[in-house]
């Protein structure tokens, strides 16, 4: 490169850095100028996040006198408000009627799409497609900002290894490597490269920390975990979100070392801010500050002071900050500087979103019609759904079905709009979703498709009532179970093939939806058993928000396709896969146990001092008397209509130096009769180290499309940090010694190679 080019590039770089520095200083100056004008009461008001009601909330509390509080400067943000006109009205109250005219944050839970609802996050994670996931987040941000929302309470990144916990549906599953990659993709999708653009929004990483490890899988429950496990297995996803530049963070409901997260100074200040360098704002989850009273840490004033002193910036709904902090300042329990610092972070977030430049940036009434529920968005939802499906079992090549077949489409979820969107889709409209029956008719118009309900989702009225909090998800038919079953059996006997659509109602999983029984309800189990006796080819289409225990169903002579809760385009996407327009490629991101007694079971478990060989029972070894150790479906599992073969696994160098990457290659061949995509997975085992290592950990993956008969050489790279772990002193190190790698189609891959780290 010549001297002139070097000088020009240097000038551009210095100019850019200078411009950035000027803009950063402008932001600081504007925020500090505003802070200097604020009273203590006005600063406290900015720490108050309220909901006026009217939308779905995650608690029973709805804020009162919201308009009067905005005028008095006692509200920093709202959620549960949507639509350009309503948002404009709220901002107008703040801008025209409050003393300092500070605009409001407008937040919302946009977990898997806004009006265009995508599959539940556990489903989209099964695509292992980071660009697709980023695109879904971009689309969600585009739709939500068109409706006036500038702050999203997503992504939820909690590692979950207990399928009894209903919120496993909202995350990426059990693995920190994959979870970190997905968290990064979602944050980049939501926030883009410029938060001041009207189609981007501030993201929130949640729930800090360890929420997915609640004891017994019971929501909001206590967590007990040592630091080594925490740092190696649960914290990486949150740190990845911070490294990706997430704008805000939300504290969890659980305690950490005996201190609830919303008042945990070690977590909020020492870990999040000091160790990880997070500079954004921290908000509590719904009334979690108040809930520290029930945890046993004191009255509302005491726990509010505890939360502020821990580093919490914003109090969601509970109003403990608003009603007690001034008194705590007067009594010397908190400092005004702590309140100022929290207020500073909130004002900075508003500046970053461009709200001080234009309070009505997200109140453009022309946007909803063109940006929400467009055909382009629905097309993306259909693609996302079909990439999320996991083929769990192939039986006698029944799938894909012929488009001319005579089909008995049966099951309580076969013609049911109310359960297509899945849990925690408060901004979606179930009545706009495509049910399976409709999708089948759209994709295979020449097929003869007849429908019968066959069974209720459950016959238990109490369970139905608990699942119907957000609207009818379980409808117990007026007809008797016998009548429903006989109708389905008669239909099946006169058809070429049976397609049974069964599983969970959408609200059987999600927040406050923990379950101890992960089997299908007896009503559906009986229907499947009786249908299987007819002797016709059968396909089970399984919907759920979590791993289920389906050993009985797996033993039936039927193919099984897991479709999660697939969103607004569910029926069309399911039909695309069932009729072969798309070859399923999804892989599980959470292990499926044989029964609840195996929980927790996950791919990165450690060995014991008395390991068993394979699944052969041995007395005085680490196994069960009544079931094998291995799960029904391992992490990374998923079949295809075709087959894939792996060979010639190579590591570029048998010995590597510290901080050197490891280059790996493997040949993958499509050996079957269909074109298809395969997710190639790389697992690592540190053979000997100073603390007990997992048997294997995911450290790489890539998705490759292969035509039938085609072979490709797939290259994967282990970065230096992939060999590191937190040792007993919580130092992030790579220790010299032997490593083994495993590459294949799931976490039980047998193709193995090794190398040495010097």
């Amino acid at each position: 490169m010549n001297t002139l080019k070097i000088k020009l590039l240097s000038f551009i770089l210095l100019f850019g850095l200078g411009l950035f520095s000027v803009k950063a200083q402008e932001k600081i100056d504007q925020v500090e100028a505003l802070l200097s004008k604020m009273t203590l009461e006005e600063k406290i008001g900015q720490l108050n996040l309220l909901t006026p009601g009217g939308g779905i909330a995650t608690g029973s509390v709805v804020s009162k006198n919201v308009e009067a509080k905005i005028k008095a400067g006692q509200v920093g943000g709202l959620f549960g408000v949507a639509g350009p006109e309503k948002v404009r009205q709220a901002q107008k109250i703040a801008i025209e009627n409050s003393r300092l005219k500070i605009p409001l944050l407008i937040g919302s839970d946009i977990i898997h799409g806004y009006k265009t609802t995508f599959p539940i996050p556990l489903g989209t994670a099964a695509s292992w497609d980071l660009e697709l996931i980023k695109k879904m987040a971009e689309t969600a941000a585009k739709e939500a900002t068109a409706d006036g929302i500038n702050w999203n309470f997503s992504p939820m990144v909690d590692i979950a290894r207990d399928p009894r916990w209903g919120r496993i549906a909202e995350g990426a599953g059990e693995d920190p490597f994959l979870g970190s990659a997905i968290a990064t993709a979602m944050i980049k999708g939501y926030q883009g490269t410029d938060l001041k653009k009207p189609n981007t929004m501030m993201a929130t990483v949640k729930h800090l920390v360890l929420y997915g490890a609640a004891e017994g899988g019971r929501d909001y429950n206590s967590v007990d975990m040592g630091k080594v496990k925490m740092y190696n297995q649960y914290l990486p996803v949150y740190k990845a979100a911070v490294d990706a530049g997430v704008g805000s963070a939300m504290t969890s409901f659980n305690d950490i070392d005996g201190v609830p997260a919303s008042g945990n100074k070690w977590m909020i200040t020492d870990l999040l801010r000091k160790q990880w360098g997070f500079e954004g704002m921290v908000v509590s989850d719904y009334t979690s500050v108040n809930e520290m009273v029930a945890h046993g840490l004191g009255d509302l004033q005491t726990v509010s002071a505890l939360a502020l002193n821990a580093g919490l910036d914003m109090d969601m709904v509970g109003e403990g900050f608003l009603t007690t902090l001034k008194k705590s300042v007067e009594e010397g329990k908190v400092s005004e500087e702590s309140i100022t610092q929290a207020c500073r972070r909130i004002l900075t977030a508003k500046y970053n979103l461009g709200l001080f430049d234009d309070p009505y940036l997200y109140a453009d009434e022309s946007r909803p019609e063109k940006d929400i529920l467009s055909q382009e968005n629905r097309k993306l939802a259909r693609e996302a759904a079909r990439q999320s499906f996991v083929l769990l079992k192939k039986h006698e090549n029944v799938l894909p079905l012929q488009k001319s077949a005579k089909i008995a489409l049966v099951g309580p979820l076969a013609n049911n709009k109310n359960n297509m969107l899945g849990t925690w889709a408060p901004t979606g409209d179930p009545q706009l979703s495509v049910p399976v029956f409709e999708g089948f008719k759209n994709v295979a118009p020449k097929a003869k498709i007849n429908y019968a309900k066959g069974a209720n989702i459950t016959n238990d009225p109490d369970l139905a009532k608990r699942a119907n909090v957000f609207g009818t998800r379980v409808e117990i038919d007026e007809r008797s179970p016998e009548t429903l079953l006989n109708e389905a059996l008669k239909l099946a006997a006169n058809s070429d093939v049976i397609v049974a659509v069964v599983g969970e109602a959408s609200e059987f999983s999600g927040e406050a939806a923990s379950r101890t029984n992960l089997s299908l309800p007896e009503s559906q189990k009986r229907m499947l058993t009786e249908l299987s006796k007819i002797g016709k080819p059968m396909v089970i289409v399984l919907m759920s928000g979590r791993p289920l225990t389906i050993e009985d169903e797996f033993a039936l002579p039927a193919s099984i396709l897991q479709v999660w809760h697939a969103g607004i385009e569910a029926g069309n996407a399911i039909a695309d896969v069932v009729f072969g327009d798309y070859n399923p490629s999804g892989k599980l991101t959470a292990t499926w146990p044989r029964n609840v007694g195996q929980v927790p079971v996950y791919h990165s478990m450690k060995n014991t001092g008395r390991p068993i060989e394979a699944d052969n029972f041995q007395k005085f070894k680490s196994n069960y008397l009544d079931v094998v150790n291995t799960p029904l479906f391992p992490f990374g599992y998923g079949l295809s209509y075709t087959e894939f073969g792996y060979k010639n696994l190579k590591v570029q160098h048998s010995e590597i130096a510290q901080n050197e990457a490891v280059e790996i290659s493997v040949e993958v061949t499509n050996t079957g009769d269909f074109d298809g995509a395969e997710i190639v997975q790389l697992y690592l085992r540190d053979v000997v180290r100073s603390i007990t290592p997992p048997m294997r950990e995911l450290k790489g993956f890539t998705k490759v499309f292969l035509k039938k008969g085609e072979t490709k050489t797939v290259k994967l790279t282990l970065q230096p940090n992939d060999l590191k772990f937190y040792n007993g002193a919580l130092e992030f190190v790579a220790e010299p010694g032997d490593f083994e790698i495993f590459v294949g189609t799931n976490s039980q891959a047998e193709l193995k190679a090794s190398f040495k780290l010097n």
Side-chain angles (χ1 to χ4, degrees):
M1 187 179 291
N2 61 41
T3 304
L4 181 61
K5 286 183 178 179
I6 292 173
K7 288 182 177 179
L8 181 60
L9 286 172
S10 299
F11 172 78
I12 292 171
L13 179 61
L14 290 171
F15 178 79
L17 289 172
L19 187 62
F20 175 80
S21 178
V22 169
K23 288 183 177 180
Q25 190 59 48
E26 285 178 356
K27 174 171 63 176
I28 294 169
D29 291 346
Q30 186 166 351
V31 169
E32 293 305 318
L34 184 54
L35 281 169
S36 69
K37 299 174 185 177
M38 297 177 74
T39 65
L40 174 62
E41 290 84 355
E42 287 169 330
K43 292 174 184 176
I44 293 171
Q46 286 298 302
L47 317 188
N48 193 26
L49 177 62
L50 300 183
T51 176
I56 293 177
T58 59
S60 59
V61 178
V62 176
S63 309
K64 298 178 181 179
N65 304 318
V66 174
E67 183 173 338
K69 288 172 181 173
I70 295 173
K71 291 178 179 179
Q74 295 179 338
V75 180
L78 297 175
F79 68 101
V81 177
E85 184 179 350
K86 290 182 179 179
V87 169
R88 181 175 288 273
Q89 289 173 354
Q91 294 288 27
K92 190 174 182 180
I93 295 169
I95 297 303
E96 296 186 2
N97 297 104
S98 68
R99 186 179 78 90
L100 292 175
K101 309 182 186 310
I102 301 174
L104 300 166
L105 293 170
I106 305 294
S108 185
D109 282 287
I110 302 158
I111 308 303
H112 49 111
Y114 186 60
K115 297 292 186 182
T116 302
T117 309
F118 300 111
I120 60 170
L122 189 61
T124 56
S127 73
W128 297 59
D129 191 323
L130 300 179
E131 283 302 314
L132 177 69
I133 291 168
K134 179 184 175 185
K135 181 65 176 176
M136 285 187 282
E138 288 175 351
T139 301
K142 184 178 181 180
E143 287 200 346
T145 54
D147 233 7
I149 297 162
N150 52 48
W151 181 22
N152 188 11
F153 307 144
S154 172
M156 193 203 91
V157 304
D158 302 311
I159 297 298
R161 293 172 173 177
D162 190 335
R164 294 173 297 180
W165 190 57
R167 299 196 80 168
I168 193 173
E170 291 181 49
E174 72 184 40
D175 184 75
F177 184 88
L178 177 61
S180 295
I182 289 175
T184 300
M186 292 182 72
I187 290 162
K188 289 181 178 178
Y190 289 140
Q191 297 190 164
T193 57
D194 185 357
L195 275 176
K196 290 189 176 183
K197 289 184 177 179
N199 61 350
T200 64
M201 63 197 314
M202 183 167 67
T204 305
V205 58
K206 66 182 191 185
H207 305 84
L208 274 76
V209 291
L210 314 180
Y211 187 32
E215 288 184 349
R218 179 159 54 84
D219 215 347
Y220 318 120
N221 203 9
S222 184
V223 172
D224 187 12
M225 185 182 298
K227 289 291 197 303
V228 168
K229 183 175 183 179
M230 196 186 297
Y231 272 76
N232 281 303
Q233 300 180 36
Y234 282 81
L235 296 185
V237 284
Y238 308 109
K239 185 177 185 300
V242 172
D243 291 343
V246 71
S248 66
M250 182 182 291
T251 56
S252 55
F253 290 109
N254 56 275
D255 60 342
I256 304 149
D257 282 341
V259 181
S262 293
N264 195 302
K265 187 173 183 179
W266 171 82
M267 191 273 287
I268 300 173
T269 297
D270 297 343
L271 178 70
L272 180 63
R273 297 198 188 281
K274 293 181 180 178
Q275 289 187 35
W276 294 349
F278 179 67
E279 296 180 350
M281 54 176 282
V282 180
V283 61
S284 70
D285 208 335
Y286 204 111
T287 66
S288 67
V289 172
N290 310 58
E291 291 166 24
M292 288 194 286
V293 176
H295 275 283
L297 294 186
D299 61 14
L300 184 58
Q301 182 184 355
T302 300
V303 298
S304 297
L306 178 68
L308 185 82
N309 289 331
L312 187 74
D313 299 317
M314 189 172 247
D315 177 13
M316 184 187 288
V317 176
E319 299 197 89
F321 279 9
L322 186 70
T323 58
T324 72
L325 285 186
K326 184 179 179 183
K327 183 180 179 183
S328 291
V329 171
E330 293 169 349
E331 295 176 353
K333 295 177 179 176
V334 301
S335 68
E336 183 169 354
E337 177 52 36
S338 296
I339 294 170
T340 301
Q341 177 63 358
C343 183
R344 179 179 289 115
R345 295 187 185 112
I346 293 165
L347 295 178
T348 300
K350 293 180 179 184
Y351 186 99
N352 291 339
L353 286 165
L355 292 172
F356 286 112
D357 298 330
D358 181 4
Y360 306 109
L361 181 64
Y362 302 91
D364 182 347
E365 294 185 18
S366 70
R367 287 189 59 195
E369 185 176 356
K370 62 183 179 181
D371 287 348
I372 295 176
L373 281 171
S374 67
Q375 287 303 308
E376 179 186 4
N377 294 355
R378 292 194 73 134
K379 182 180 179 181
L380 179 65
R382 185 170 180 168
E383 177 64 21
R386 61 188 197 172
Q387 286 204 42
S388 74
F389 302 157
V390 182
L391 184 60
L392 297 177
K393 181 184 176 184
K394 294 192 289 188
H395 182 73
E396 295 183 351
N397 297 317
V398 172
L399 286 173
L401 299 184
Q402 296 295 318
K403 291 186 177 180
S404 58
K406 185 178 182 182
I407 299 168
L409 181 63
V410 302
L413 293 167
N415 192 24
N416 183 319
K417 289 187 175 185
N418 287 331
N419 289 287
M420 296 301 100
L421 300 189
T423 184
W424 215 226
T427 53
D429 183 353
Q431 298 314 307
L432 296 179
S433 67
V434 180
V436 180
F437 188 24
E438 183 180 326
F440 272 38
K441 290 188 291 183
N442 291 340
V443 172
K446 294 182 179 180
K448 187 174 181 181
I449 303 165
N450 295 300
Y451 161 75
K453 185 176 180 180
N456 295 310
I457 293 176
T458 178
N459 293 330
D460 182 348
D462 291 332
L463 182 56
K465 182 179 179 180
R466 293 166 189 155
N468 289 339
V469 173
F470 295 152
T472 302
R473 301 294 184 263
V474 178
E475 184 176 357
I476 298 180
D477 207 290
E478 293 180 355
R479 295 169 292 173
S480 70
E482 291 297 329
T483 299
L484 294 176
L485 179 59
N486 289 334
E487 181 184 9
L489 294 175
K490 182 178 179 180
L491 199 67
N494 292 302
S495 300
D496 299 331
V497 62
I498 304 164
V499 178
V501 188
V502 297
E504 290 190 309
S506 62
E507 300 309 322
F508 277 12
S509 57
E511 185 168 358
S514 299
R515 293 180 61 195
T516 62
N517 184 348
L518 303 182
S519 301
L520 290 175
E522 286 301 319
S523 55
Q524 299 183 62
K525 291 178 72 72
R526 184 186 177 208
M527 182 191 73
L528 292 175
T529 300
E530 295 303 316
L531 286 170
S532 71
K533 295 176 182 177
I534 293 175
K536 295 294 180 73
M538 187 162 78
V539 177
I540 298 172
V541 175
L542 186 61
M543 294 185 184
S544 73
R546 53 157 56 87
L548 298 176
T549 51
I550 59 166
E551 269 203 310
D552 292 342
E553 290 69 38
F554 189 73
L556 297 176
S559 297
I560 304 175
L561 179 68
Q562 168 67 16
V563 299
W564 315 104
H565 292 111
I568 197 167
E569 285 288 316
N572 286 331
I574 291 167
D576 286 341
V577 172
V578 168
F579 290 105
D581 289 348
Y582 183 85
N583 187 351
S585 59
K587 303 280 189 178
L588 299 177
T589 63
T591 302
W592 284 44
R594 297 178 186 273
N595 58 47
V596 177
Q598 280 189 319
V599 174
V601 56
Y602 49 95
H603 78 279
S604 58
M605 298 181 82
K606 296 182 178 182
N607 221 340
T608 73
R610 295 187 177 188
I612 63 166
E613 296 179 7
D615 275 336
N616 301 315
F617 174 81
Q618 293 175 277
K619 192 67 174 177
F620 305 117
K621 296 287 187 177
S622 182
N623 47 205
Y624 300 102
L625 287 172
D626 57 342
V627 71
V628 296
N629 284 8
T630 54
L632 185 62
F633 303 119
F635 176 86
Y637 175 89
L639 305 176
S640 167
Y641 293 155
T642 192
E643 303 289 335
F644 298 98
Y646 288 73
K647 63 180 181 180
N648 293 334
L649 174 62
K650 297 178 181 177
V651 180
Q652 187 175 26
H653 300 293
S654 60
E655 295 191 21
I656 64 164
Q658 290 277 346
N659 298 314
E660 182 180 352
V662 184
E663 302 296 336
I664 297 156
S665 65
V666 65
E667 291 181 12
V668 184
T669 302
N670 183 337
T671 60
D673 297 325
F674 296 84
D675 299 343
E678 169 71 336
I679 298 165
V680 181
Q681 301 162 47
L682 167 65
Y683 296 87
L684 178 73
R685 178 172 177 247
D686 191 345
V687 179
V688 176
R689 71 183 193 189
S690 58
I691 61 171
T692 53
M695 287 186 278
R696 57 180 70 182
E697 297 176 279
L698 180 72
K699 290 297 181 180
F701 61 90
T702 190
K703 198 169 190 175
V704 57
F705 182 83
L706 296 168
K707 294 182 178 180
K708 61 180 180 180
E710 184 180 10
T711 297
K712 287 184 178 178
T713 298
V714 175
K715 295 184 179 181
L716 298 159
T717 302
L718 282 169
Q719 299 296 339
N721 277 357
D722 294 330
L723 306 185
K724 294 182 179 180
F725 66 98
Y726 288 93
N727 63 17
L730 298 183
E731 299 164 327
F732 193 50
V733 299
E735 295 177 345
D738 295 326
F739 289 81
E740 295 175 340
I741 59 167
F742 305 84
V743 176
T745 190
N746 61 57
S747 59
Q748 294 180 348
E750 296 182 354
L751 197 60
K752 184 172 75 170
S754 60
F755 64 91
K756 182 183 290 291
L757 175 66
N758 293 321

